[in-house]
């Protein structure tokens, strides 16, 4: 079945360059119509590939395809004049490229998830889950050590060994990405490594990631926690609460406030089309337009909100309540498998992170997240 899908797509992409299906001009159609065919073929290929192993996921793909057909272009070409940090600038947005990017990323994630689920249970004589944990914990410890150097003003990769401005980004280029990596690694970490990860959270300001890590560690070690004496559980609660409190006091709540503001724009816009949403990629032009329509928006914002900062909210904005219902049905089936898998704690942490971050769109985190989700819900997790 996959062969005919690919061959048919190749033929259609070559024959339909003249058709301005979603384009403003025939000249744009020469490149945009074949891209439409390519995305459609990728989506169909993903559906055919996962159908035998995850029927619910094939319905999720169908919803994404339905949203794509309803809103293939998502937006006309338009320019938004925005004021950011008191500097005026013009942002030109076309919904079509944003829509293509959204759909290609979605299809690649689905196909990647299918491949990860097919990985062998043992690699080089050890369980695959052991290798995954070793890789994530090792990378997390390295990021904490490097972020600590940056915390004291040293950045040997980008700035050499002279003391400079304190900019804590790890090697991932984003402090939030570092905190999410720590959250994924924490459930795998031995007890002796958890204080290192806790210090990392304080350095990189990971508030949501702290919550995710705590939930993930608690689920991973739930049996030991239930059997431990009350005083030990109380001590553990204090040990968890202190980093959260220090992070809130030390770094403040400005980032939390801004993320809630982003979510507010998304929910408000979703209410304009609650059943079917606004289509893949529509967030990239609709939300900045709303954002800078507000008085003094630039004085309050640190960036244009071109991404939802939440995988769940982004999906809801693109596919509406229909998409949320189907996604929830799929997640329920995933949870029944993942929560009893050897990496259930990391899966819990990842799910929480996806509520407040677009994890799938962060290149440095997409693969660790894909490996975690696929391992937790793969064939071996069912055994």
């Amino acid at each position: 079945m996959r062969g005919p899908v690919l061959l048919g797509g190749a033929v259609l992409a070559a024959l339909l360059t003249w058709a301005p299906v979603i384009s403003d001009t025939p000249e744009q159609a020469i490149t945009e119509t074949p891209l439409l065919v390519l995305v459609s073929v990728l989506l169909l290929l993903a559906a055919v590939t996962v159908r035998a192993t995850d029927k619910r996921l094939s319905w999720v793909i169908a919803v994404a395809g339905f949203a794509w057909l309803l809103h293939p272009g998502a937006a006309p070409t338009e320019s938004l004049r925005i004021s950011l940090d008191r500097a005026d600038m013009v942002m030109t947005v076309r919904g079509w490229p944003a829509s293509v990017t959204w759909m290609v990323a979605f299809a690649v994630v689905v196909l990647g998830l299918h491949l990860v689920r097919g990985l062998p249970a043992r690699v080089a004589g050890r369980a695959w889950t052991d290798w995954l944990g070793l890789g994530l914990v090792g990378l997390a410890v390295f990021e904490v050590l490097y972020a600590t150097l940056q915390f004291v003003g040293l950045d040997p990769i980008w700035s050499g060994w002279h003391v400079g401005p304190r900019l804590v980004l790890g090697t991932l280029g984003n402090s939030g990405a570092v905190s999410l990596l720590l959250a994924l690694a924490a459930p795998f970490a031995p007890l002796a490594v958890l204080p290192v990860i806790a210090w990392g959270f304080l350095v990189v300001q990971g508030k949501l990631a702290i919550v995710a890590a705590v939930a993930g560690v608690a689920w991973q070690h739930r049996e030991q926690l239930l059997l431990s004496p009350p005083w030990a559980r109380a001590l553990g609660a204090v040990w968890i609460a202190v980093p959260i409190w220090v992070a809130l006091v030390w770094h403040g709540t400005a980032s939390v406030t801004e993320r809630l503001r982003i979510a507010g724009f998304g929910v408000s816009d979703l209410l304009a089309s609650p059943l079917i949403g606004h289509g893949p990629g529509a967030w990239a032009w609709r939300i900045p337009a709303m954002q800078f329509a507000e008085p003094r928006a630039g004085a309050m914002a640190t960036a244009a909100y071109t991404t939802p900062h939440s995988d769940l909210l982004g999906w809801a904005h693109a596919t509406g309540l229909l998409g949320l219902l189907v996604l929830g049905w799929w997640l329920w089936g995933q949870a029944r498998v993942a929560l009893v898998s050897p990496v259930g704690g990391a899966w819990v942490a990842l799910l929480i992170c996806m509520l407040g971050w677009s994890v799938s769109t962060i290149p440095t985190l997409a693969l660790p997240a894909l490996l975690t989700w696929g391992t937790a819900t793969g064939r071996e997790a069912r055994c």
Side-chain angles (χ1 to χ4, degrees):
M1 183 65 179
R2 283 175 287 188
V5 168
L6 291 171
L7 180 58
V11 172
L12 286 176
L15 295 179
L16 294 179
T17 54
W18 56 271
V21 180
I22 57 160
S23 309
D24 297 329
T25 65
E27 290 77 13
Q28 291 173 346
I30 292 175
T31 56
E32 293 184 351
T33 301
L35 271 176
L36 175 63
V37 174
L38 175 62
V39 171
S40 302
V41 168
L42 276 177
L43 206 62
L44 186 56
L45 180 64
V48 169
T49 301
V50 306
R51 181 181 55 184
T53 57
D54 194 340
K55 288 185 174 62
R56 295 190 184 191
L57 183 55
S58 65
W59 281 98
V60 175
I61 297 170
V63 168
F66 179 66
W68 167 258
L69 291 174
L70 286 178
H71 311 281
T77 302
E78 64 175 67
S79 297
L80 303 175
R81 181 168 294 279
I82 64 177
S83 176
L84 194 61
D85 294 332
R86 296 180 174 83
D88 290 335
M89 60 184 292
V90 175
M91 183 173 69
T92 301
V93 180
R94 290 199 70 228
W96 167 237
S99 184
V100 168
T101 301
W102 195 100
M103 293 301 296
V104 170
F106 175 76
V108 169
V109 166
V110 169
L111 291 171
L113 183 61
H114 177 77
L115 293 174
V116 172
R117 286 173 171 173
L119 291 174
R122 302 187 68 80
V123 177
R126 296 189 63 176
W128 160 245
T129 53
D130 292 343
W131 288 112
L132 178 60
L134 182 63
L136 290 180
V137 172
L139 180 58
V141 170
F142 173 80
E143 289 298 330
V144 171
L145 294 176
Y146 197 85
T148 302
L149 287 177
Q150 292 174 324
F151 183 72
V152 297
L154 295 174
D155 198 335
I157 292 178
W158 284 293
S159 305
W161 288 98
H162 64 276
V163 178
R166 190 171 72 182
L167 190 61
V168 182
L169 305 174
T171 63
L172 305 184
N174 184 290
S175 61
V178 176
S179 70
L180 295 184
L181 175 65
L182 298 182
L184 286 181
F188 291 105
L191 185 62
V193 179
L194 285 178
V196 177
I197 291 179
W199 164 250
F201 281 129
L202 298 182
V203 171
V204 299
Q205 314 180 29
K207 302 176 186 67
L208 177 64
I210 292 175
V211 176
V214 168
V217 170
W219 183 261
Q220 191 71 20
H221 302 286
R222 59 193 181 280
E223 295 179 359
Q224 296 92 318
L225 288 174
L226 291 173
L227 295 175
S228 61
W231 66 266
R233 278 178 273 176
L235 184 62
V238 172
W239 184 83
I240 290 166
V242 168
I244 296 176
W245 180 79
V246 173
L248 291 174
V249 172
W250 188 354
H251 299 297
T253 59
S255 62
V256 176
T257 302
E258 187 163 14
R259 287 183 181 278
L260 290 175
R261 188 163 179 262
I262 296 172
F265 281 122
V267 172
S268 176
D269 195 36
L270 176 59
L271 292 177
S273 180
L275 185 60
I276 58 174
H278 295 288
W283 181 291
W285 71 277
R286 292 184 64 90
I287 301 306
M290 293 179 63
Q291 175 189 359
F292 291 99
E294 283 194 351
R296 301 176 60 190
M300 299 175 63
T302 58
Y305 303 148
T306 56
T307 58
H309 288 282
S310 166
D311 282 309
L312 183 64
L313 182 57
W315 175 263
H317 188 269
T319 63
L321 294 178
L322 175 63
L324 273 181
L325 286 174
V326 176
L327 183 69
W329 178 52
W330 177 68
L331 286 176
W332 174 253
Q334 296 289 283
R336 293 171 59 188
V337 176
L339 291 177
V340 297
S341 77
V343 296
W347 184 85
V348 169
L350 174 58
L351 188 63
I352 293 173
C353 288
M354 293 174 75
L355 297 176
W357 283 84
S358 295
V359 180
S360 60
T361 65
I362 304 174
T364 50
L365 283 178
L367 277 178
L370 196 62
L371 287 169
T372 300
W373 195 291
T375 302
T377 59
R379 288 195 301 266
E380 301 302 331
R382 292 171 167 81
C383 298

